[in-house]
Amino acid sequence: MSKAKAGIDLPVEIPDVIPILPLRNSVLFPGSIIPIDVGRRKSVRLVEDAISKERPVIGILTQKDARTEDPHDSDMYKVGCAARILKVIKLAKDNFSVILQGVSRFEVQVFEGSEPFLAAQVEPIPDPTTSDVELDALVMNLKDIAKRVVKLMPELPKEAGALVDSVTEPGHLADLITSNLELEVSEKQDVLETFDLKARMRKVLQFLSRQLEVLKVRERINTQVQEEMGRNQREYVLRQQLKAIKEELGELDEGGSDLEEFQEKIAKAEMPEEAEKVARKQYDRLKSMQPSSAEYTVTRTYLEWLVELPWAVGTEDHIQLDEVRKVLNEDHYDLEKVKKRIVEYMAVRKLKNDKKGPILCLAGPPGVGKTSLGRSVARAIGRKFVRVSLGGVRDEAEIRGHRRTYVGSLPGRIIQGIKKAGTNNPVFVLDEIDKLGHDFRGDPASALLEVLDPEQNNSFSDHYLEVPFDLSKVMFIATANQLDPIPWALRDRLEIIELPGYTRQEKRHIARSFLVPKQLDEHGIRDEHAEVTDEAIYEIIDSYTREAGVRNLEREIGAVCRGVAVKVAEGKATEKEMIGAESVKEYLGPTKYVSEVADRTAEPGVATGLAWTAVGGDILFIEASRMPGKGKLTLTGQLGDVMKESVTAALSFIRSRAPQLGLEGGNFLESTDIHVHVPAGAVPKDGPSAGVTMYTALVSLLTKTPVRPDVAMSGEITLRGNVLQVGGIKEKLLAAHRAGIKRVIIPDRNVKDLVDVPDEVKEEMEIIPVKRMDEVLMVALTETPPGIAELVAQAEAADATTAQPEQSSPAPA
């Protein structure tokens, strides 16, 4: 606090006209002593003039705006303080440091001149000397609060409290306190302009009370912070003491011993140099952290992941090819392509043990054994097995992991699977890879590109680990029902092996060898209590399931076993319950599927086609009908654009062949409407392979000739009358075989695909390749139009001529 000199009590004569010194950002009060720097031209002239006089007195007025460099009378307040110059120190040529002592308030009456400096005629305003009880009470309150403020402000000297007590005059006390409070310039000027003592003291009391409350809050905050810091330090010291005591007693808890053993774990993990460097850095950080801090848990979890990953732990492959074949055949019937590929891989591993793991993709309908095949492969070669389902995964972080900055972050599913396996070379099955999604959180299929690239996955970087991990030794097996949803960049990294489905005989063999024994055992039925005959298995295959795989077959066999279990449990079963074809109907109820081919093709305009679906092949019926009209064509059954175009192309080709088909010229459709419908109308259908079937159905309708009931067909047509190659031949032939079809028409260019068709199917069905649409009618219709037979004969003769080698002409002499 600024102190008041004793000299303030001495009478000081204030002239009527005094020089005015403008003051920035401060207010001078009577009794206060303050130092100021003087540097403005007029102010320097004023100081030089004043110090030339004896006991100089000047007027101090506060500027309204501190930024004004040359203030005039309107730029300053009208109430100021007369001051004595106690000391002047010259700092530079035109720069002084002046110490002023406030003497008395004054009010400017009129300004007189501005050169060489401001001057004004003033009227001094001394404080009244009267006293009463209210004024005494205000003085006591001011002193009491002021002393409390002094105690809460350690930056003030101890003598400040005594100084407050020594002041007796009310006005001097109010001025002294105001000059030392942290107030705005306008608030201090307001106190200076308050001449009434009681009003002035109430204002100062209000400002002082506000300052006291602020200091109390600050003191409370400081106390809380110090207590928190003291508690943390106390906990740290106590934990260290507790640790020392437990070490002395040999009772150190597992967490502490783990922390000490991390260094040994890092050495045993045999990490790559980069990963080991990161692990040791994190270990050094962990040792210096307090266990109560949040960062401690994050760092410890990260370090645990690093040391527990199988960086150098791997299983030894069983390189005995006969043993591998034996194990694969024990677990799965057929699937020769996959078994052949596994045996090839093991043969290469035997000759070159640093061979990178293959990236296989098993594509096929549900229930053909794609997922379970991965487990068999792992057993065959003696590796650990890990399976991750990718169906519905939409977040890229599921594959690559989350950054450690996120709360509760973890590595992705790939690294989690490797840790779960405990080896760096497991058989890793990525199930349902075609059902990956993508949205604003990223594209998980793109995140798999690095995982499934043999040239890149030796340095796979997970976002959580942030150090590369070698995945090149892992044998990845992906499964999918369809290949179309898989992005082309990801599909390019996969070795596709297609599993089309099983024939009737293969299903019977799988049921006999695998499904029936498994279901009998799961339902608590011993072999001596029941026997499922081959006739019963065939009945379930033909009448209760229609699928490419065997999942529903196993489900229906389980239903039969449950019915037998009820009989055995109730004691109503015979000594050995024989389950035949009739018994199946008793347990499963009415048959679900019957052959509709003979009924659906008994009249003209109905033909049977073959289709490929995501769950295998299926038969497709095309129905055509005509009625009087104006040549309108109607298509129903949720047909796609390609299939609609096939109908239009077929109809155009029929019009071009109208004479040969025995139709009444090219205008036979002018008075007829045609409606083409494909049953199962709730199922969308598309593709060009139904073109041949559409053509056959329309010709059958228009010529009133029925289609043979045992014929099915597939092929794309052209306006030139050719039959083009289609896909999914094996699946379509298996579907025809399941439906009881005896004759199948396929494009001639698809003959090469018959290599993959089981011999059983080829033996029981007549497969007829065709090159032209006219040939289809020869085979499919019950009666061939005469003109068509003549066209086919001409085409065959032309083909025979083209096929003969040309005779060589004699060489020139």
Side-chain angles (χ1 to χ4, degrees):
M1 280 190 175
S2 301
K3 297 182 180 180
K5 291 285 187 181
I8 193 171
D9 295 326
L10 298 177
V12 177
E13 184 178 353
I14 301 175
D16 294 335
V17 178
I18 58 175
I20 300 299
L21 179 65
L23 194 61
R24 308 185 204 218
N25 295 323
S26 184
V27 178
L28 179 64
F29 285 86
S32 298
I33 298 174
I34 62 170
I36 64 171
D37 289 334
V38 177
R40 289 186 283 197
R41 181 180 59 82
K42 289 184 179 181
S43 301
V44 170
R45 293 287 301 277
L46 184 150
V47 172
E48 290 176 344
D49 181 78
I51 60 178
S52 63
K53 301 176 182 179
E54 184 178 353
R55 295 175 65 85
V57 176
I58 63 174
I60 305 297
L61 289 178
T62 302
Q63 291 181 200
K64 295 178 181 177
D65 188 354
R67 295 172 293 182
T68 305
E69 283 298 325
D70 186 15
H72 297 283
D73 52 359
S74 60
D75 298 324
M76 295 178 290
Y77 292 103
K78 296 297 186 286
V79 176
C81 182
R84 291 166 53 191
I85 298 178
L86 299 181
K87 190 173 182 178
V88 177
I89 301 173
K90 189 171 184 179
L91 301 176
K93 181 180 179 181
D94 292 320
N95 197 355
F96 294 94
S97 179
V98 181
I99 297 178
L100 301 175
Q101 178 187 26
V103 176
S104 174
R105 283 177 173 77
F106 67 79
E107 187 174 5
V108 176
Q109 299 299 315
V110 62
F111 286 93
E112 295 185 1
S114 60
E115 293 294 339
F117 44 77
L118 280 171
Q121 181 179 343
V122 301
E123 179 183 351
I125 306 175
D127 289 334
T129 57
T130 58
S131 177
D132 57 24
V133 175
E134 184 180 359
L135 200 59
D136 292 341
L138 289 171
V139 170
M140 291 178 66
N141 279 346
L142 270 179
K143 288 185 176 183
D144 179 58
I145 297 177
K147 286 188 285 187
R148 290 162 64 186
V149 168
V150 169
K151 289 181 180 179
L152 293 174
M153 297 180 68
E155 60 269 20
L156 293 178
K158 297 180 180 179
E159 297 82 8
L163 178 61
V164 172
D165 274 335
S166 66
V167 179
T168 57
E169 296 181 7
H172 184 202
L173 178 64
D175 292 341
L176 175 65
I177 292 173
T178 305
S179 64
N180 287 278
L181 284 176
E182 293 181 3
L183 300 175
E184 297 289 336
V185 172
S186 59
E187 293 177 331
K188 289 188 176 183
Q189 182 66 30
D190 184 34
V191 173
L192 185 68
E193 293 177 1
T194 304
F195 304 140
D196 182 74
L197 278 180
K198 293 181 181 179
R200 187 193 310 169
M201 296 189 75
R202 286 192 180 92
K203 287 183 179 180
V204 176
L205 190 60
Q206 181 180 356
F207 293 143
L208 195 61
S209 299
R210 185 178 70 188
Q211 184 73 14
L212 178 62
E213 290 302 319
V214 171
L215 292 173
K216 283 181 179 179
V217 173
R218 187 181 74 174
E219 182 69 12
R220 185 163 63 250
I221 293 173
N222 289 339
T223 302
Q224 290 175 351
V225 172
Q226 290 175 0
E227 287 178 356
E228 187 67 27
M229 291 177 61
R231 183 164 58 251
N232 288 340
Q233 292 173 353
R234 187 166 60 253
E235 286 180 2
Y236 177 73
V237 171
L238 290 174
R239 287 182 186 278
Q240 293 300 316
Q241 292 176 349
L242 180 62
K243 181 179 177 182
I245 293 171
K246 288 192 173 184
E247 284 180 347
E248 193 68 27
L249 296 174
E251 298 177 355
L252 189 65
D253 59 76
E254 292 184 1
S257 63
D258 280 349
L259 192 59
E260 297 299 329
E261 292 173 3
F262 263 128
Q263 192 166 5
E264 183 181 350
K265 289 181 179 180
I266 293 173
K268 287 183 178 180
E270 298 182 29
M271 305 178 187
E273 183 179 352
E274 182 179 351
E276 185 174 353
K277 182 179 178 182
V278 172
R280 294 194 181 280
K281 181 179 178 181
Q282 295 296 326
Y283 172 68
D284 293 338
R285 287 186 60 200
L286 191 65
K287 288 195 300 183
S288 61
M289 290 182 186
Q290 293 188 28
S292 58
S293 67
E295 187 68 20
Y296 178 89
T297 305
V298 174
T299 305
R300 183 186 177 93
T301 304
Y302 174 66
L303 198 55
E304 287 175 349
W305 272 99
L306 281 181
V307 299
E308 291 176 8
L309 280 176
W311 298 93
V313 179
T315 54
E316 185 177 354
D317 291 337
H318 298 164
I319 315 295
Q320 297 294 333
L321 300 185
D322 292 340
E323 183 67 22
V324 171
R325 286 195 183 95
K326 178 183 176 183
V327 172
L328 291 175
N329 290 329
E330 284 178 357
D331 291 347
H332 286 81
Y333 181 75
D334 194 35
L335 306 180
E336 296 302 328
K337 276 189 178 181
V338 186
K339 295 176 181 178
K340 177 174 175 288
R341 182 64 183 86
I342 301 303
V343 172
E344 290 172 351
Y345 170 66
M346 296 311 301
V348 175
R349 287 280 297 180
K350 187 172 184 178
L351 301 177
K352 186 176 174 63
N353 58 13
D354 60 346
K355 173 68 176 174
K356 296 177 181 177
I359 313 293
L360 305 180
C361 179
L362 307 180
V368 296
K370 300 184 298 296
T371 304
S372 61
L373 188 66
R375 197 181 303 274
S376 298
V377 170
R379 189 168 78 90
I381 63 179
R383 291 193 182 187
K384 297 287 187 180
F385 174 77
V386 182
R387 173 186 169 272
V388 171
S389 178
L390 300 179
V393 172
R394 294 179 173 270
D395 192 352
E396 178 188 347
E398 292 281 344
I399 306 298
R400 281 195 170 274
H402 297 81
R403 301 282 183 188
R404 293 203 307 278
T405 52
Y406 294 100
V407 176
S409 57
L410 283 174
R413 295 194 181 191
I414 304 299
I415 294 297
Q416 289 185 34
I418 295 294
K419 181 187 175 185
K420 180 181 178 182
T423 64
N424 59 8
N425 63 340
V427 173
F428 205 121
V429 173
L430 300 171
D431 225 353
E432 310 293 354
I433 198 172
D434 58 327
K435 295 175 180 61
L436 283 170
H438 66 276
D439 56 12
F440 64 93
R441 288 165 288 193
D443 185 0
S446 298
L448 279 174
L449 294 179
E450 184 183 3
V451 177
L452 299 181
D453 192 336
E455 301 300 324
Q456 300 181 38
N457 62 9
N458 59 345
S459 58
F460 172 69
S461 179
D462 187 273
H463 286 163
Y464 181 83
L465 295 182
E466 293 182 338
V467 291
F469 189 91
D470 185 5
L471 296 177
S472 63
K473 299 176 183 178
V474 180
M475 184 174 185
F476 285 103
I477 298 179
T479 71
N481 296 131
Q482 302 180 68
L483 295 176
D484 292 340
I486 304 176
W488 66 268
L490 181 57
R491 197 190 311 181
D492 184 60
R493 289 162 167 80
L494 302 174
E495 183 179 341
I496 307 294
I497 299 178
E498 296 188 0
L499 310 180
Y502 298 110
T503 65
R504 186 169 180 263
Q505 291 296 333
E506 289 170 344
K507 287 184 180 180
R508 197 272 311 167
H509 191 283
I510 293 171
R512 174 62 60 204
S513 303
F514 302 101
L515 305 183
V516 171
K518 176 184 174 183
Q519 290 299 320
L520 289 174
D521 181 66
E522 287 186 357
H523 292 84
I525 303 173
R526 297 178 183 177
D527 293 339
E528 59 268 20
H529 288 161
E531 180 182 347
V532 181
T533 64
D534 287 349
E535 289 75 14
I537 295 175
Y538 279 131
E539 179 67 18
I540 297 174
I541 294 172
D542 296 335
S543 302
Y544 293 92
T545 63
R546 185 163 291 177
E547 57 175 345
V550 293
R551 186 170 291 147
N552 284 328
L553 176 59
E554 181 178 9
R555 194 173 290 124
E556 298 296 340
I557 291 174
V560 172
C561 293
R562 287 195 299 273
V564 175
V566 172
K567 282 189 174 182
V568 173
E570 292 179 345
K572 297 179 180 179
T574 59
E575 184 177 348
K576 186 169 186 178
E577 192 76 16
M578 296 297 294
I579 303 170
E582 294 300 322
S583 302
V584 169
K585 296 179 181 178
E586 176 187 346
Y587 294 119
L588 299 183
T591 57
K592 297 179 181 178
Y593 302 101
V594 293
S595 177
E596 302 178 30
V597 177
D599 296 334
R600 300 295 286 269
T601 58
E603 57 182 310
V606 180
T608 305
L610 298 174
W612 180 91
T613 67
V615 295
D618 201 358
I619 60 173
L620 192 71
F621 296 104
I622 308 294
E623 298 179 347
S625 179
R626 63 185 297 180
M627 61 213 77
K630 298 181 179 180
K632 180 181 177 183
L633 176 63
T634 304
L635 306 175
T636 55
Q638 282 209 57
L639 307 186
D641 292 338
V642 177
M643 190 172 278
K644 290 178 181 177
E645 291 168 0
S646 296
V647 180
T648 306
L651 200 55
S652 297
F653 186 74
I654 291 173
R655 296 180 68 175
S656 70
R657 283 283 195 271
Q660 289 82 0
L661 292 172
L663 302 176
E664 55 273 14
N667 300 324
F668 62 92
L669 292 177
E670 287 185 356
S671 59
T672 301
D673 285 350
I674 293 181
H675 186 164
V676 176
H677 176 67
V678 182
V683 181
K685 311 166 191 72
D686 202 7
S689 62
V692 165
T693 316
M694 297 285 189
Y695 171 68
T696 306
L698 289 171
V699 171
S700 170
L701 172 71
L702 296 173
T703 61
K704 300 180 181 179
T705 305
V707 179
R708 291 178 53 133
D710 59 346
V711 172
M713 61 201 77
S714 180
E716 182 178 357
I717 62 174
T718 71
L719 289 177
R720 294 178 300 151
N722 295 330
V723 179
L724 302 183
Q725 178 179 352
V726 293
I729 284 296
K730 181 177 179 180
E731 291 86 347
K732 292 175 179 178
L733 291 179
L734 290 176
H737 184 260
R738 287 195 297 271
I741 301 293
K742 299 302 181 183
R743 178 180 290 191
V744 176
I745 302 171
I746 66 171
D748 184 70
R749 297 180 184 178
N750 282 113
V751 172
K752 64 182 187 304
D753 299 322
L754 296 178
V755 176
D756 298 329
V757 179
D759 294 336
E760 173 196 345
V761 174
K762 290 187 285 188
E763 291 171 0
E764 295 184 9
M765 288 197 308
E766 182 183 0
I767 301 173
I768 304 172
V770 295
K771 293 181 179 180
R772 299 176 185 84
M773 295 162 64
D774 296 330
E775 298 175 29
V776 176
L777 302 182
M778 296 277 295
V779 182
L781 298 181
T782 55
E783 295 180 12
T784 306
I788 296 298
E790 184 179 346
L791 287 175
V792 172
Q794 293 174 1
E796 290 177 349
D799 289 344
T801 303
T802 306
Q804 290 179 358
E806 296 182 1
Q807 295 182 355
S808 58
S809 57

